[in-house]
Amino acid sequence: MAAAASLKLPALERLPKETTNQWVYRSLRQAVMLGLVPPGRPVTIRDVANILEVSTTPVREALRRLSSEQALEELDNRRILVPNMTAARFRELCELRIALECHAAERAMPYMHGAKLDELAAIDKRLDDANDAGDRERIIALNQQFHRFIYEANPHQTVMPLVESVWLQLGPFVRLALSRLKDFYQVDRHSEAMAALRRQDPLGLRIAMEADIRDALTHVGTNELLKAYVESPDSIA
Amino acid sequence: MAAAASLKLPALERLPKETTNQWVYRSLRQAVMLGLVPPGRPVTIRDVANILEVSTTPVREALRRLSSEQALEELDNRRILVPNMTAARFRELCELRIALECHAAERAMPYMHGAKLDELAAIDKRLDDANDAGDRERIIALNQQFHRFIYEANPHQTVMPLVESVWLQLGPFVRLALSRLKDFYQVDRHSEAMAALRRQDPLGLRIAMEADIRDALTHVGTNELLKAYVESPDSIA
DNA sequence: ACGAGATTATTTTGATCACATTCTTGCGGC
DNA sequence: GCCGCAAGAATGTGATCAAAATAATCTCGT
């Protein structure tokens, strides 16, 4: 029946106390983040409902939520799809990420005490290991964890949801960058950032953060990789 | 019947081609923006559905969407409410607004040509008039329009949704500030911003923007007004 | 006759609702 | 005070209706 031949969803395992809505949301979010949903192709409620074997209501709510977070785009036609990436949009998102996260880091700095710095170093250590092992999934996860841990040190959270939104929009392409890169300079940047945190040096922190983000993203944004992807996504994925 | 004595919703008129969902969303958004929903008091789906005389489904989706935009908060209990404002959170939101909007303005600057500058000046002129007339509703609306017009000059939009989210969270309190203020310095700041745009001077633009936002918000954030509100909202509203 | 563009018909998709189910919470008996 | 039960509230389902996309047909000028 309902064909949906080209749409594959990861079928995340369902957590114990989780509502259907949350489960569908997590699944779709992950699918978008990993770039499994082809940009431009409409994502219909019924297709997703059929694939995940749930009714339409939770699916529509999950799609709507992702639209609110700019991970999906709602057209006038009521069609929902993954927005197309362009070089210009990618550049905008990079700069936005830098502005947002430098700000977040600076506002969180005063709350990074000794114990928290040790925890952060531990995360970085694990990231280092994953790096050596070449485990991409873990590298992405731990890198996000590293950044999140810093920003969330600030107990008065306002930025993190916005940061997540930008991550969601960049998600698939960051993965793309990693899939081609052999080694990462990020570890050094992370060390610089941690040193700046230890010194409580706002400017140093900003510089390290910006460098870290740029290192991670410029490999996609500037070279021909993004262009190739934009033109024919399937050839790379 | 359904009591909900203290919850009043503006009952926006329903636009022609609008779905129930969109209408409920607009109504709730406006209510939150104007501070009509008391923070801390749970907003139940049923209450809203009864007040607006629609079924629960569109209400739930509207509430969920506002939660995604950080205008509402979903507790573990599945209860939904307007997050409480604290002095610290307010400060965070101000700084976030400044960081975001300075960035947005700077990224939009190259796209502000002659014709667009004239349009901007026209908006500012109308704002000036509203200011003289003391029409608060229009002042708020036009001020937002002024800022939005600048940021949206950038054709590769990524920031505006994030800015809207912050506006939503600050909304009620900005209104609060205006309700007490006699005159505004913003007009001058707007002139400075326009001058900087004309010169294509990034630093000057940032300075003017930051000053403009600070002028609008510090009156709430620093003085006893916010404190009074946080302690007993009803005494001020 | 032929084909580009408009138009209608069919089918797909989204929106809304009422009801069933599941979860939370607050009350009252012990 | 604690436990359990009942009322209230939210989630999820399937049905129904309206809107939009796609397919098929028609019109008209050449």
Side-chain angles (χ1 to χ4, degrees):
Chain A
M1 308 282 130
S6 51
L7 188 58
K8 260 178 281 183
L9 292 183
L12 253 48
E13 86 285 20
R14 197 158 173 175
L15 268 51
K17 294 268 301 184
E18 201 176 31
T19 68
T20 308
N21 184 12
Q22 294 168 314
W23 175 62
V24 172
Y25 171 73
R26 275 201 311 128
S27 302
L28 276 170
R29 183 190 165 100
Q30 168 131 339
V32 171
M33 189 71 114
L34 299 182
L36 299 179
V37 187
R41 188 175 156 293
V43 180
T44 69
I45 295 176
R46 281 176 153 86
D47 277 358
V48 177
N50 283 333
I51 293 172
L52 297 182
E53 295 179 314
V54 294
S55 123
T56 59
T57 311
V59 173
R60 192 173 54 246
E61 287 178 16
L63 289 176
R64 282 262 170 71
R65 180 161 170 202
L66 287 167
S67 302
S68 284
E69 301 179 69
Q70 314 302 317
L72 297 174
E73 191 182 4
E74 280 183 271
L75 268 50
D76 303 338
N77 332 337
R78 300 169 165 185
R79 280 274 156 92
I80 296 178
L81 42 80
V82 176
N84 269 314
M85 185 56 80
T86 65
R89 195 169 97 93
F90 190 84
R91 226 174 303 125
E92 283 296 326
L93 284 169
C94 290
E95 296 304 322
L96 181 54
R97 224 199 116 178
I98 290 166
L100 258 183
E101 297 193 32
C102 284
H103 172 79
E106 197 172 332
R107 299 294 297 178
M109 195 178 68
Y111 300 97
M112 291 293 288
H113 320 109
K116 294 212 166 180
L117 279 169
D118 294 342
E119 267 190 84
L120 187 64
I123 294 172
D124 192 50
K125 176 66 171 58
R126 281 192 284 158
L127 176 56
D128 214 348
D129 296 344
N131 209 14
D132 292 341
D135 183 346
R136 270 186 238 125
E137 305 287 336
R138 265 170 59 79
I139 291 173
I140 296 174
L142 283 168
N143 194 48
Q144 286 193 358
Q145 208 180 321
F146 182 88
H147 284 260
R148 187 196 308 272
F149 188 82
I150 296 174
Y151 312 147
E152 284 184 345
N154 184 342
H156 313 289
Q157 264 316 306
T158 55
V159 273
M160 208 46 223
L162 307 191
V163 171
E164 296 258 8
S165 168
V166 179
W167 283 359
L168 250 185
Q169 292 176 71
L170 280 171
F173 301 93
V174 172
R175 185 187 169 74
L176 178 63
L178 278 181
S179 75
R180 290 303 176 91
L181 239 56
K182 293 189 195 70
D183 41 14
F184 313 98
Y185 321 152
Q186 291 183 4
V187 183
D188 299 322
R189 305 308 193 179
H190 284 186
S191 302
E192 287 174 31
M194 287 189 291
L197 282 170
R198 231 172 252 115
R199 295 194 308 272
Q200 293 282 303
D201 167 16
L203 187 60
L205 181 58
R206 282 194 102 98
I207 292 172
M209 279 312 233
E210 173 161 357
D212 181 41
I213 296 170
R214 256 186 227 291
D215 276 358
L217 295 180
T218 45
H219 296 278
V220 194
T222 57
N223 67 14
E224 70 285 346
L225 200 54
L226 176 64
K227 202 171 153 203
Y229 181 91
V230 169
E231 279 159 11
S232 83
D234 299 325
S235 67
I236 293 176
Chain B
M1 322 265 130
S6 50
L7 189 58
K8 262 177 280 188
L9 293 183
L12 252 49
E13 84 284 22
R14 196 159 171 173
L15 268 52
K17 294 270 298 183
E18 199 175 35
T19 68
T20 308
N21 185 8
Q22 293 168 316
W23 175 62
V24 173
Y25 171 73
R26 275 201 312 125
S27 303
L28 276 171
R29 183 188 165 102
Q30 169 133 337
V32 171
M33 190 71 115
L34 299 181
L36 299 179
V37 188
R41 188 174 156 295
V43 181
T44 69
I45 295 175
R46 282 181 146 90
D47 279 356
V48 177
N50 284 332
I51 292 173
L52 297 181
E53 294 178 317
V54 295
S55 117
T56 60
T57 312
V59 175
R60 189 167 68 236
E61 286 179 16
L63 289 175
R64 282 261 167 72
R65 182 161 168 202
L66 287 167
S67 301
S68 283
E69 301 178 69
Q70 314 303 318
L72 297 175
E73 190 183 4
E74 280 182 273
L75 268 49
D76 303 338
N77 329 340
R78 299 170 164 185
R79 283 271 161 84
I80 297 179
L81 41 81
V82 176
N84 270 312
M85 185 56 81
T86 64
R89 196 169 97 94
F90 191 84
R91 225 174 305 127
E92 284 296 325
L93 284 168
C94 291
E95 297 305 322
L96 180 55
R97 225 199 114 177
I98 290 166
L100 257 183
E101 297 193 33
C102 284
H103 172 79
E106 195 171 334
R107 298 296 296 179
M109 194 178 68
Y111 301 97
M112 288 295 286
H113 320 110
K116 293 212 166 181
L117 278 170
D118 295 341
E119 267 190 85
L120 187 64
I123 294 172
D124 193 49
K125 176 70 171 57
R126 281 192 284 155
L127 176 56
D128 216 348
D129 296 343
N131 210 12
D132 291 342
D135 184 346
R136 269 185 239 128
E137 305 287 334
R138 265 171 59 79
I139 291 173
I140 296 175
L142 283 167
N143 193 50
Q144 286 193 357
Q145 208 180 321
F146 182 88
H147 284 262
R148 186 195 309 270
F149 188 82
I150 296 174
Y151 312 148
E152 284 184 346
N154 184 341
H156 313 290
Q157 264 316 308
T158 54
V159 273
M160 207 47 223
L162 306 191
V163 171
E164 296 257 9
S165 169
V166 178
W167 283 0
L168 251 185
Q169 293 175 70
L170 280 170
F173 301 94
V174 172
R175 183 187 170 74
L176 178 64
L178 278 180
S179 74
R180 290 304 176 91
L181 239 55
K182 292 188 196 69
D183 40 15
F184 313 98
Y185 322 153
Q186 291 184 5
V187 183
D188 299 321
R189 304 308 193 180
H190 285 186
S191 303
E192 287 174 31
M194 287 189 290
L197 282 170
R198 230 171 254 115
R199 295 196 308 273
Q200 293 282 303
D201 166 16
L203 188 57
L205 182 58
R206 283 193 100 99
I207 291 172
M209 280 312 233
E210 173 162 354
D212 182 41
I213 295 169
R214 257 186 226 290
D215 277 358
L217 296 180
T218 45
H219 296 279
V220 195
T222 58
N223 66 17
E224 69 286 346
L225 201 54
L226 176 64
K227 203 172 152 202
Y229 181 90
V230 168
E231 279 160 11
S232 82
D234 300 325
S235 67
I236 295 177

